[in-house]
């Protein structure tokens, strides 16, 4: 959307105030008594202090798509809005995408206004708006940091502290290989009065204040390095208040090929069979958008990413390269890390054209709408939405529907709260992806080892996770535990999250759009809703279902490139007997058994007890 500054808004409001008149329609609901008189007690305070009051809210005002009604280029309601006392117009977003196709009841309005006003005024505006007008909060966009979440059971037993207790300092030193001090490692403590967090300095040292006596009562310490090392999670740690507590981390040995020159496929790429197709299948010609926290394009494997915008800073053409959170850089590496001889990882679609849209931290729903409209204008094929909201937005949902009409497939992570699918994963028309993990792909003293739901582990060690959101909106699942990818600063890290799972599906989709003959044909290659529907159908048809597990957690299963109908020559596709074994294939044909996740030749197929033994070794089976 093009942003239009409201140059005349302030002058109009000043003239309106001098005249003492009132706006018509919804504006008549606001009277002089709505204006808060200044508090004389505040006026006499020091100018360097400020009273804490409820801040004004941001609101989105747009038009509802109604059957048989074509939105007008402008509306009297918006004209009156600019004249209302106490309403500040922040920006006007003009729709560019809907002009590319004929207007239909689902293409949405021409303009959305972002306004700031107090909550009382906003509530009255909502209640008195015409039926075709949407008034909703321009809520902040959320993002998930999987370094922080911790099972909250310890909080239920944490003793209350009715009076202040003396605090003691706990000092830490985080060391890596050859006792190298690790800077910028995040140290978390969990226990009564916690969680507490600190970050190590250049000498690898950090300190925290605690109420615990000599570390007693601290349930866990969790260290997350900045890059290139495995995290560490120590339960019931023995900590000394008078000494420096040293924690050593293990180097992150990235997956390498079995033979010289073989691509370094991750465990997730292997179960989705990226290693079984030609290396020429690289997503060339596919345009992908990543709406997230930006991307550090100076990373050696991401230097080919040169297109981006920072929507939180007036579309700054450079600041999108600064990724404070790291999630955008991590997802970009999963999708499109360069496939070069010296690469430590390789993206699922390394030749795809990636466009980065930074909307967090600091972004709102209006910035997500603006980013989606940029995707429409740039004629992208796939967009990964890596942010979430605590509430539903009808205007964002309309923009996602408009993007789909333009042939853009929106792929969204289900969320990482362990509850119901988060917005926008619950919007019709998106493909929602949940996260799964695999036993044995990480050290046991990490948080990765605590992600599994013990009762939902398939024979080859693939499991549903305890953090991934679930619900009927989940379309498919994908690898989202201990996923090694790029992080800002040029390094690599193993992270968890449904956004990592969604990035795998984005790369998978890019290969289908680039190489599937049906999606290259005249009809399904056209940029329209039908192409998105066919793509989603292929992803579900290619998914390996999860044995005896509620599809609300894993959807249709994990997509497998060798199972996509019509993608590979018949000689390169596995039959069900080759893939699962004769016994399981027979059960599948009889309809008596759902196929589990499986890898050709997996030892678990012959002896399920192996999985139970591995669970016990991981502390996940009693």
């Amino acid at each position: 959307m093009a942003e239009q500054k409201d140059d005349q808004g302030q002058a109009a409001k000043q003239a309106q105030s001098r005249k003492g008149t009132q706006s018509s329609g919804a504006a008549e609901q606001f009277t002089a008594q709505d204006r808060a008189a200044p508090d004389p007690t505040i006026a006499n305070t020091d100018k360097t202090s400020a009273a804490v009051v409820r801040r004004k809210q941001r609101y989105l005002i747009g038009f509802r798509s109604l059957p048989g009604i074509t939105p007008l280029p402008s509306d009297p309601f918006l004209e009156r809005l600019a004249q209302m006392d106490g309403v500040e117009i922040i920006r006007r977003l003009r729709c560019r995408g809907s002009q590319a196709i004929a207007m239909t009841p689902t293409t949405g309005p021409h303009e959305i206004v972002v306004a700031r006003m107090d909550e009382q005024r906003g509530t009255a505006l909502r209640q008195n708006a015409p039926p075709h007008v949407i008034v909703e909060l321009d809520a902040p966009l959320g993002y998930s940091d999987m370094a922080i979440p911790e099972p909250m059971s310890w909080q239920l037993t944490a003793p209350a502290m009715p009076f202040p207790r003396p605090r003691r300092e706990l000092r830490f030193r985080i060391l890596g290989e050859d006792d190298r001090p690790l800077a910028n490692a995040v140290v978390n403590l969990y226990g009564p009065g916690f969680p507490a967090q600190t970050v190590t300095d250049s000498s690898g040292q950090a300190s925290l204040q605690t109420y615990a006596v000599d570390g007693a009562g601290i349930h866990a310490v969790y260290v997350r390095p900045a890059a290139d090392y495995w995290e560490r999670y120590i339960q019931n740690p023995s900590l000394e208040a008078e000494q420096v507590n040293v924690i050593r981390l293990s180097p992150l040995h990235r997956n390498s090929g079995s033979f010289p020159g073989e691509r370094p496929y991750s465990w997730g790429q292997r179960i989705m069979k990226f290693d079984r197709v030609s290396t020429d299948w690289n997503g060339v010609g596919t345009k992908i958008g990543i709406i997230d926290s930006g991307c550090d394009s100076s990373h050696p494997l991401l230097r080919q990413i040169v297109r981006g915008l920072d929507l939180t800073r007036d579309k700054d053409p450079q600041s999108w390269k600064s990724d404070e959170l790291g999630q955008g850089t991590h997802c970009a590496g999963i999708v499109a890390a360069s496939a070069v001889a010296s690469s430590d990882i390789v993206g699922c679609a390394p030749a795809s054209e990636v466009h980065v849209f930074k909307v967090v931290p600091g972004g709102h729903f209006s910035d997500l709408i603006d980013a989606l409209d940029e995707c429409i204008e740039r004629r992208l094929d796939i967009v990964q939405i890596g942010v979430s909201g605590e509430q539903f937005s009808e205007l964002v949902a309309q923009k996602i529907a408009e993007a789909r009409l333009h042939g853009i497939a929106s792929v969204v992570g289900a969320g990482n709260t362990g509850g119901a699918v988060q917005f926008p994963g619950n919007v019709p028309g998106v493909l929602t992806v949940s996260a799964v993990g695999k036993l044995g792909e990480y050290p046991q003293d990490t948080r990765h080892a605590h992600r599994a739901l013990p009762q939902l582990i398939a024979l080859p060690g693939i499991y549903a996770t305890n953090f991934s959101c679930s619900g009927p909106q989940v379309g498919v699942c994908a690898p989202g535990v201990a996923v090694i990818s790029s992080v800002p600063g040029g390094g690599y890290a193993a992270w968890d999250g449904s956004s990592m799972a969604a990035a795998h599906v984005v790369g998978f989709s890019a290969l289908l759009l680039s190489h599937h003959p049906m999606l290259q044909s005249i009809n399904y290659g056209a940029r329209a809703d039908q192409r998105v529907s066919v793509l989603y159908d292929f992803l579900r048809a290619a998914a390996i279902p999860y044995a005896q597990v509620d599809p609300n957690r894993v959807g249709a299963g994990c997509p497998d490139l060798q199972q996509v109908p019509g993608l590979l020559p018949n000689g390169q596709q596995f039959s069900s007997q080759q893939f699962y074994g004769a016994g399981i294939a027979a059960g599948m044909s009889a309809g008596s058994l759902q196929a589990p996740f499986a890898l050709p030749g997996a030892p678990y197929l012959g002896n399920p007890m192996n999985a139970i033994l591995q669970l016990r070794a991981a502390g996940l089976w009693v």
Side-chain angles (χ1 to χ4, degrees):
M1 289 186 177
E3 183 176 335
Q4 176 181 333
K5 302 294 183 183
D6 189 41
D7 298 327
Q8 300 178 352
Q10 294 295 332
K13 283 184 283 185
Q14 292 173 1
Q16 183 71 7
S17 177
R18 289 193 298 269
K19 293 178 181 179
T21 60
Q22 294 180 331
S23 301
S24 60
E28 294 176 357
Q29 302 297 323
F30 306 112
T31 62
Q33 63 183 3
D34 293 322
R35 303 167 191 164
D39 189 339
T41 62
I42 297 178
N44 296 328
T45 60
D46 190 339
K47 293 183 179 181
T48 61
S49 63
V52 179
V53 297
R54 292 178 66 90
R55 68 176 182 271
K56 291 185 176 181
Q57 299 286 333
R58 293 168 56 114
Y59 288 87
L60 287 171
I61 299 95
F63 299 99
R64 181 171 287 111
S65 297
L66 298 174
I69 299 179
T70 302
L72 299 173
S74 62
D75 189 273
F77 184 85
L78 296 184
E79 297 176 3
R80 295 194 298 269
L81 182 70
Q83 306 300 320
M84 293 180 185
D85 186 35
V87 177
E88 177 189 359
I89 304 297
I90 301 174
R91 62 196 296 201
R92 294 177 181 269
L93 305 175
R94 294 197 179 277
C95 183
R96 293 167 293 183
S98 60
Q99 300 174 2
I101 59 176
M103 291 293 295
T104 71
T106 58
T107 55
H110 285 298
E111 184 179 54
I112 295 174
V113 169
V114 184
R116 183 184 288 114
M117 65 192 81
D118 62 68
E119 191 172 357
Q120 181 181 4
R121 197 177 303 275
T123 300
L125 190 65
R126 276 180 167 182
Q127 294 173 347
N128 296 280
H132 70 289
V133 175
I134 300 171
V135 179
E136 61 184 25
L137 283 175
D138 186 19
L141 290 171
Y143 50 90
S144 176
D145 184 354
M146 290 299 293
I148 304 305
E150 172 76 10
M152 292 294 108
S153 58
W154 62 266
Q155 288 187 343
L156 302 178
T157 59
M161 290 179 289
F163 56 87
R165 293 162 53 183
R167 296 195 297 174
R168 297 193 178 188
E169 183 181 54
L170 283 177
R171 293 177 294 163
F172 294 90
R173 191 176 188 201
I174 310 303
L175 302 177
E177 196 171 24
D178 298 326
D179 282 348
R180 170 190 172 190
L182 299 181
N184 299 318
V186 180
V187 181
N188 293 274
L189 289 184
Y190 300 98
F194 295 107
Q197 184 183 93
T198 187
V199 180
T200 58
D201 58 19
S202 58
S203 65
Q205 299 193 60
S207 63
L208 282 170
Q209 296 292 324
T210 173
Y211 290 107
V213 179
D214 292 333
I218 294 178
H219 295 278
V221 58
Y222 171 50
V223 181
R224 187 188 194 188
D228 299 327
Y229 284 84
W230 286 106
E231 61 180 40
R232 193 165 180 196
Y233 180 75
I234 306 173
Q235 293 179 299
N236 299 317
S238 175
L239 301 176
E240 299 293 339
E242 305 299 330
Q243 302 179 25
V244 176
N245 298 275
V246 177
I247 298 178
R248 290 179 170 83
L249 305 184
S250 301
L252 185 69
H253 297 298
R254 296 172 288 278
N255 292 325
S256 58
S258 301
F259 303 98
E262 184 178 350
R263 283 189 175 184
Y265 292 106
S266 67
W267 73 265
Q269 291 170 324
R270 291 181 185 278
I271 70 168
M272 297 179 77
K273 303 303 191 304
F274 283 91
D275 61 325
R276 298 298 183 90
V277 298
S278 171
T279 55
D280 294 333
W281 289 30
N282 51 24
V284 62
T286 307
K287 299 168 71 174
I288 298 172
I290 298 179
I291 302 177
D292 212 302
S293 59
C295 175
D296 179 8
S297 59
S298 67
H299 194 286
L301 301 187
L302 302 177
R303 290 172 181 164
Q304 76 279 13
I305 300 178
V306 296
R307 302 168 180 84
L309 284 177
D310 186 346
L311 280 304
T312 68
R313 299 184 182 178
D314 295 326
K315 299 185 179 179
D316 189 306
Q318 297 298 325
S319 58
W320 63 270
K321 300 176 183 178
S322 174
D323 184 2
E324 299 92 339
L325 306 178
Q327 179 171 286
T329 304
H330 200 269
C331 289
I334 297 171
V335 173
S338 296
V340 296
S342 60
S343 63
D344 295 289
I345 61 172
V346 62
C348 298
S352 59
E353 179 180 302
V354 175
H355 297 242
V356 176
F357 304 98
K358 181 177 180 178
V359 296
V360 288
H364 295 77
F365 279 158
S366 55
D367 299 305
L368 176 55
I369 293 173
D370 208 358
L372 287 167
D373 215 36
E374 285 285 347
C375 294
I376 295 173
E377 186 176 53
R378 298 183 186 202
R379 299 175 61 81
L380 303 189
D381 300 298
I382 314 165
V383 57
Q384 178 182 350
I385 304 177
V387 293
S388 61
E390 295 183 357
Q391 61 191 46
F392 190 91
S393 168
E394 186 176 352
L395 289 171
V396 172
Q398 284 189 168
K399 183 54 61 178
I400 290 174
E402 182 182 344
R404 177 162 175 162
L405 288 175
H406 286 81
I408 298 176
S410 297
V411 181
V412 185
N416 302 322
T417 65
V421 171
Q422 293 183 306
F423 179 85
N426 53 7
V427 171
V430 305
L431 182 69
T432 303
V433 185
S434 64
V436 296
K438 185 175 185 293
L439 296 175
E441 296 296 334
Y442 39 75
Q444 290 305 305
D445 60 347
T446 63
R447 287 289 290 127
H448 310 305
H450 296 261
R451 304 299 193 195
L453 290 170
Q455 69 275 22
L456 301 180
I457 302 180
L459 297 182
I462 306 296
Y463 57 80
T465 61
N466 53 16
F467 65 82
S468 190
C469 293
S470 61
Q473 302 91 349
V474 174
V476 295
C477 61
V481 176
V483 177
I484 299 175
S485 185
S486 49
V487 291
Y492 305 87
W495 286 2
D496 305 339
S498 60
S499 289
M500 286 73 233
H504 281 87
V505 174
V506 168
F508 193 105
S509 301
L511 295 195
L512 297 190
L513 289 174
S514 181
H515 302 288
H516 199 290
M518 187 174 293
L519 292 170
Q520 292 287 311
S521 64
I522 295 177
N523 292 332
Y524 298 134
R527 301 183 55 79
D529 174 76
Q530 190 176 25
R531 181 178 74 161
V532 178
S533 297
V534 172
L535 173 63
Y536 289 172
D537 287 343
F538 278 139
L539 289 167
R540 295 187 183 96
I544 305 299
Y546 207 146
Q548 302 176 354
V549 173
D550 184 355
N552 285 340
R553 288 195 174 275
V554 295
C558 187
D560 182 316
L561 279 170
Q562 291 186 316
Q563 303 300 310
V564 179
L567 178 63
L568 299 175
N570 291 334
Q572 295 184 29
Q573 288 185 279
F574 280 90
S575 67
S576 59
Q577 180 171 344
Q578 289 175 311
F579 195 73
Y580 298 110
I584 293 180
M588 289 172 59
S589 62
S592 60
L593 177 67
Q594 274 191 312
F597 284 103
L599 297 175
Y604 298 98
L605 293 178
N607 185 7
M609 184 57 67
N610 288 343
I612 297 176
L613 294 175
Q614 189 167 356
L615 288 179
R616 286 177 175 169
L620 298 173
W621 188 282
V622 294

